[in-house]
């Protein structure tokens, strides 16, 4: 059938995202010395925790007292207990008892989402999901490990009993970490990877060899969950072992870099598992290829990119602690921390990490989840004294280089670095369990320039609250995909190249750079064709 020829020209001046809202755009040159990285992290953590305390509810009713009220969602998120670690870090380093009191009240509120089986619920009366117990267990275990001596005997005893109950829950419930059972096809690997570290920490805390043995067992199982060419950790989606037509498996960059890989790294370094350590190191360096020069993570293509923000993940923890654990032998990982830390500082307004660069100008409150989640990993990073920073020197990130083109076969994605331009083109066709969440079909999913930062970045193919309790409602009048695309609306249904699983993509080198020729179809998210049928469209970047 004859194809339609369309050449995409992008009028750059009309698409620029003004980076002024993030302040100046310095990169690692602003953080020269290793100790200044710690100082910068400490200052940001102090700002975040002090802001969190202003949102802590003071009420005579114990069902409300101690929770952190979200200004955007107008409720208390069940995972706010993760803030116990940064609160106790501040207590240690300021010797101000207000932080201990805040941590005690927070943990008392957490009883409202604690179940008889020892788990903590993700939310109150919104979701019955309790797999996030693994993250709360890690936060509480690290708190007791580093700062338990600041607590009175009674409080420390209560927290330890709660932690042990969480450990029993994780140990007994295969649904959190079993990757072998057929009913796990809708499970995500970040729970498995994090259960490894959680059980190991709790095994050490309570001298439970059964916890440690289970941790080792899961870790050994996960050694097979890295892609064969680039060692992406996969499993963020259904059909976890079944490759797509283009040979892809379900991968999400942000859940990997901000939860799974850091927790596996912390386990591997503390347990001495060298096989896993080598895999995780290789995987981290692959994922680092997607960090932009300003410290942003490019997850414009991942299966769960609907929870992607420019600086990191919507409800994930952050990568600093795990990357730091491997930085002695890989100093570029410390460079990544420095770059991202700078971006986090520039993205913080009124003590809250903003969900996007334009929240303030759009009069949009920012969900507090971003702040307490990333405060947790900053505190974990700062609590680790085992890696020396004295020899740190600024490094170049992979995407600093003008290397032309790199193709990542396992995710069918191309990265471009030509002059001051950085771009991502993707034909990644591994879908999440909810369709239409990330662009496919030969999409130019990110365009970035040295002097402006991001010009545009892909969003969801069609906006919806995939995880309503964990996503912030967009209350603006007009909503549309931010991905450059060809689209056609038929009977209120969107048909575009973004959802096409059968796009043909060819990249060729030219005198001035690279050209992409894409042959694609207009489909809806269920692969139905529009009235144009299977007629193909030729696109050229």
């Amino acid at each position: 059938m004859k194809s339609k020829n369309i050449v995409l020209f992008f009028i750059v001046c009309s698409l620029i995202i003004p980076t002024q809202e993030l302040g100046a755009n310095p990169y690692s040159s602003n953080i020269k010395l290793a100790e200044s990285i710690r100082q910068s992290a400490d200052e940001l953590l102090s700002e975040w925790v002090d802001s969190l305390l202003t949102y802590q509810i003071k009420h005579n009713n114990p069902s409300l007292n101690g929770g952190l009220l979200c200004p955007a969602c107008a409720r208390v998120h069940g995972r706010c207990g993760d803030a116990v670690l940064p609160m106790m870090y501040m207590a240690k380093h300021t010797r101000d008892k207000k932080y201990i009191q805040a941590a005690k009240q927070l943990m008392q509120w957490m009883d409202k989402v604690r179940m008889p089986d020892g788990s903590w619920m993700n939310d109150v009366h919104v979701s019955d999901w309790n797999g996030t117990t693994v993250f709360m267990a890690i936060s509480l275990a690290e708190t007791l490990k580093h700062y338990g001596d600041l607590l009175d005997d009674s409080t420390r005893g209560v927290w330890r009993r709660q932690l042990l109950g969480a450990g029993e829950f994780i140990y007994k419930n295969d649904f959190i970490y079993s990757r072998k059972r057929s009913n796990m096809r809708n499970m995500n690997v970040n729970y498995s990877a994090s259960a490894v570290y959680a059980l190991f920490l709790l095994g050490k805390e309570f001298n439970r060899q059964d916890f440690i043995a289970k941790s080792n067992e899961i870790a050994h199982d996960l050694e097979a969950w890295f892609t064969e060419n680039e060692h992406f950790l996969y499993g963020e989606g259904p059909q976890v072992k079944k490759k797509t037509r283009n040979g892809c498996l379900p991968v999400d960059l942000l859940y990997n870099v901000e939860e799974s890989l850091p927790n596996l790294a912390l386990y591997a370094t503390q347990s001495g598992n060298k096989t896993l350590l080598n895999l995780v190191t290789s995987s981290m360096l692959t994922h680092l290829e997607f960090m932009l020069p300003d410290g942003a993570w490019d997850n414009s293509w991942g299966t769960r990119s609907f929870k992607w923000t420019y600086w990191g993940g919507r409800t994930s923890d952050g990568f600093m602690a795990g990357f730091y654990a491997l930085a002695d032998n890989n100093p570029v990982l410390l460079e990544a921390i420095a770059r991202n830390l700078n971006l986090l500082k520039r993205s913080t307004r009124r003590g809250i990490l903003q969900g996007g660069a334009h929240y303030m100008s759009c009069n949009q409150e920012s969900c507090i989840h971003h702040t307490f989640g990333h405060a947790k990993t900053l505190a974990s990073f700062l609590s680790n004294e085992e890696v020396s920073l004295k020899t740190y020197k600024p490094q170049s990130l992979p995407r600093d280089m003008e290397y032309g083109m790199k193709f990542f076969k396992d995710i069918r994605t191309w990265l471009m670095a030509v002059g001051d331009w950085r771009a991502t083109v993707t034909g990644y066709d591994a879908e999440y369990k909810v369709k239409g969440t990330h662009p496919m079909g030969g999409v130019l999913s990110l365009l970035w320039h040295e002097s402006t930062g991001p010009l545009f970045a892909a969003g969801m193919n069609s906006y919806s609250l995939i995880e309503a309790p964990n996503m912030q409602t967009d209350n603006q009048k007009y909503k549309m995909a931010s991905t450059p695309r060809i689209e056609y609306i038929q009977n209120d249904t969107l048909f575009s190249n973004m959802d096409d699983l059968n796009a043909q993509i060819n990249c060729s080198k030219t005198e001035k750079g690279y050209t992409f020729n894409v042959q694609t179809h207009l489909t809806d998210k269920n692969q139905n064709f529009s009235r144009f049928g299977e007629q193909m469209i030729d696109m050229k970047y």
Side-chain angles (χ1 to χ4, degrees):
M1 188 171 289
K2 206 170 201 178
S3 64
K4 297 283 186 180
N5 294 307
I6 297 176
V7 179
L8 299 186
F9 294 98
F10 297 109
I11 303 175
V12 171
C13 60
S14 68
L15 293 170
I16 289 176
I17 298 174
T19 55
Q20 290 88 342
E21 295 204 27
L22 295 179
N25 203 14
Y27 305 146
S28 63
S29 59
N30 210 37
I31 304 181
K32 292 288 188 184
L33 301 175
E35 285 308 312
S36 69
I37 297 177
R38 279 194 174 278
Q39 180 181 349
S40 185
D42 190 79
E43 290 172 354
L44 181 58
L45 183 61
S46 176
E47 181 181 1
W48 282 349
V49 174
D50 283 344
S51 180
L52 290 174
L53 261 58
T54 67
Y55 292 95
Q56 189 166 37
I57 299 172
K58 311 291 189 218
H59 202 284
N60 292 331
N61 189 324
S63 294
L64 300 173
N65 189 57
L68 303 180
L69 184 63
C70 179
C73 304
R75 59 187 176 87
V76 180
H77 294 288
R79 283 184 65 178
C80 67
D82 284 353
V84 66
L85 178 59
M87 287 178 179
M88 291 300 293
Y89 171 86
M90 292 300 299
K92 174 80 170 183
H93 292 273
T94 66
R95 299 183 181 180
D96 191 331
K97 293 183 179 179
K98 73 177 183 181
Y99 297 109
I100 296 179
Q101 185 62 24
K104 286 182 177 181
Q105 292 177 345
L106 178 64
M107 288 302 297
Q108 288 170 359
W109 183 86
M110 286 297 293
D111 268 344
K112 308 307 163 192
V113 290
R114 189 166 178 270
M115 298 293 103
D117 60 4
S119 67
W120 286 283
M121 306 298 290
N122 191 68
D123 283 287
V124 183
H125 303 311
V126 176
S127 167
D128 61 357
W129 177 238
N130 55 3
T132 50
T133 298
V134 296
F135 307 116
M136 180 61 202
I138 290 171
S139 187
L140 185 53
E142 290 193 342
T143 298
L144 289 168
K145 176 181 177 180
H146 295 294
Y147 311 114
D149 61 322
L150 300 181
L151 300 169
D152 58 86
D153 291 343
S154 176
T155 299
R156 185 168 55 251
V158 170
W159 289 11
R160 291 187 86 248
R161 286 192 294 273
Q162 292 175 344
L163 183 60
L164 180 58
E168 296 285 4
F169 168 77
I170 298 169
Y171 177 78
K172 294 175 182 176
N173 285 271
D174 284 3
F175 78 88
I176 290 180
Y177 51 76
S178 174
R179 306 297 304 172
K180 299 175 180 177
R181 299 186 177 187
S182 60
N183 64 354
M184 292 299 297
R185 291 192 180 276
N186 289 326
M187 186 51 134
N188 297 312
V189 74
N190 62 311
Y191 292 100
S192 310
S194 299
V196 169
Y197 184 47
L199 285 171
F200 182 82
L201 275 178
L202 273 58
K204 292 292 186 181
E205 175 71 21
F206 298 106
N207 193 25
R208 289 287 297 268
Q209 295 306 310
D210 53 341
F211 285 6
I212 295 175
K214 179 65 73 174
S215 172
N216 295 337
E217 176 189 334
I218 308 166
H220 178 71
D221 181 37
L222 287 174
E223 289 172 7
W225 290 79
F226 292 84
T227 62
E228 58 187 329
N229 297 297
E230 292 107 17
H231 288 163
F232 288 98
L233 179 67
Y234 69 90
E236 293 296 337
Q239 305 293 326
V240 289
K241 285 288 188 180
K242 184 178 180 180
K243 290 186 178 181
T244 66
R245 175 179 297 188
N246 291 301
C248 299
L249 292 162
V251 174
D252 185 73
L253 179 134
L254 275 178
Y255 271 100
N256 283 354
V257 298
E258 291 209 326
E259 282 182 351
S260 299
L261 292 177
N263 285 327
L264 288 175
L266 291 167
Y267 159 80
T269 54
Q270 294 176 33
S271 68
N273 186 328
K274 292 183 179 180
T275 300
L276 184 62
L277 182 62
N278 290 335
L279 281 168
V280 169
T281 302
S282 176
S283 188
M284 279 185 176
L285 294 176
T286 289
H287 286 74
L288 195 59
E289 296 278 353
F290 293 81
M291 177 172 273
L292 291 160
D294 58 2
W297 286 110
D298 173 11
N299 193 38
S300 58
W301 50 271
T303 57
R304 301 177 77 186
S305 63
F306 57 88
K307 293 172 75 175
W308 171 45
T309 66
Y310 189 59
W311 39 255
R314 170 77 177 82
T315 59
S316 50
D317 292 338
F319 68 95
M320 277 77 169
F323 275 47
Y324 183 43
L326 305 185
D328 248 4
N329 296 321
N330 302 277
V332 70
L333 298 179
L334 194 57
E335 180 69 33
I337 293 173
R339 303 277 184 106
N340 188 253
L341 182 61
N342 220 13
L343 180 59
L344 292 174
K345 290 179 61 124
R346 291 166 45 229
S347 302
T348 296
R349 291 289 184 272
R350 296 182 302 203
I352 294 293
L353 180 57
Q354 298 297 292
H358 306 103
Y359 271 47
M360 297 288 287
S361 62
C362 293
N363 297 315
Q364 186 89 3
E365 292 285 356
S366 193
C367 179
I368 205 171
H369 210 306
H370 313 141
T371 306
F372 67 68
H374 288 77
K376 168 188 173 181
T377 199
L378 269 192
S380 181
F381 160 60
L382 289 167
S383 298
N384 187 342
E385 301 291 346
E386 296 178 3
V387 178
S388 171
L389 286 171
K390 294 181 181 178
T391 59
Y392 167 68
K393 296 179 181 178
Q395 306 280 318
S396 292
L397 295 179
R399 225 164 175 181
D400 290 343
M401 322 294 185
E402 188 185 348
Y403 54 66
M405 183 271 287
K406 289 184 181 180
F407 175 59
F408 294 84
K409 182 178 181 180
D410 292 334
I411 57 169
R412 202 191 182 207
T413 295
W414 293 256
L415 297 187
M416 315 299 298
V418 179
D420 291 336
W421 294 97
R422 302 293 179 267
T424 305
V425 175
T426 187
Y428 182 52
D429 61 344
E431 297 181 279
Y432 194 54
K433 56 189 176 184
V434 178
K435 297 181 184 298
T437 61
H438 70 92
M440 303 175 286
V443 161
L444 180 62
S445 61
L446 184 126
L447 185 63
W448 186 96
H449 191 273
E450 173 76 20
S451 63
T452 64
L455 279 84
F456 50 74
M460 300 172 65
N461 294 359
S462 56
Y463 175 78
S464 63
L465 294 178
I466 304 298
E467 293 182 17
N470 292 320
M471 295 175 67
Q472 187 170 335
T473 300
D474 180 2
N475 56 16
Q476 297 179 99
K477 183 176 181 180
Y478 300 106
K479 301 176 179 66
M480 65 180 293
S482 60
T483 310
R485 65 203 178 277
I486 303 299
E487 70 171 36
Y488 175 70
I489 306 295
Q490 177 181 316
N491 298 326
D492 295 324
T493 299
L494 172 66
F495 297 85
S496 77
N497 64 298
M498 294 186 294
D499 287 300
D500 184 18
L501 295 175
N502 299 304
Q504 303 301 313
I505 307 167
N506 179 57
C507 176
S508 58
K509 192 172 186 341
T510 64
E511 182 178 346
K512 294 183 179 180
Y514 293 83
T515 295
F516 282 85
N517 290 287
V518 181
Q519 288 190 308
T520 185
H521 312 83
L522 298 183
T523 73
D524 66 10
K525 63 183 180 181
N526 295 311
Q527 301 306 303
N528 297 312
F529 294 111
S530 71
R531 70 179 180 86
F532 299 110
E534 297 184 40
Q535 181 170 312
M536 298 191 77
I537 292 173
D538 291 337
M539 300 192 306
K540 183 177 182 180
Y541 305 117

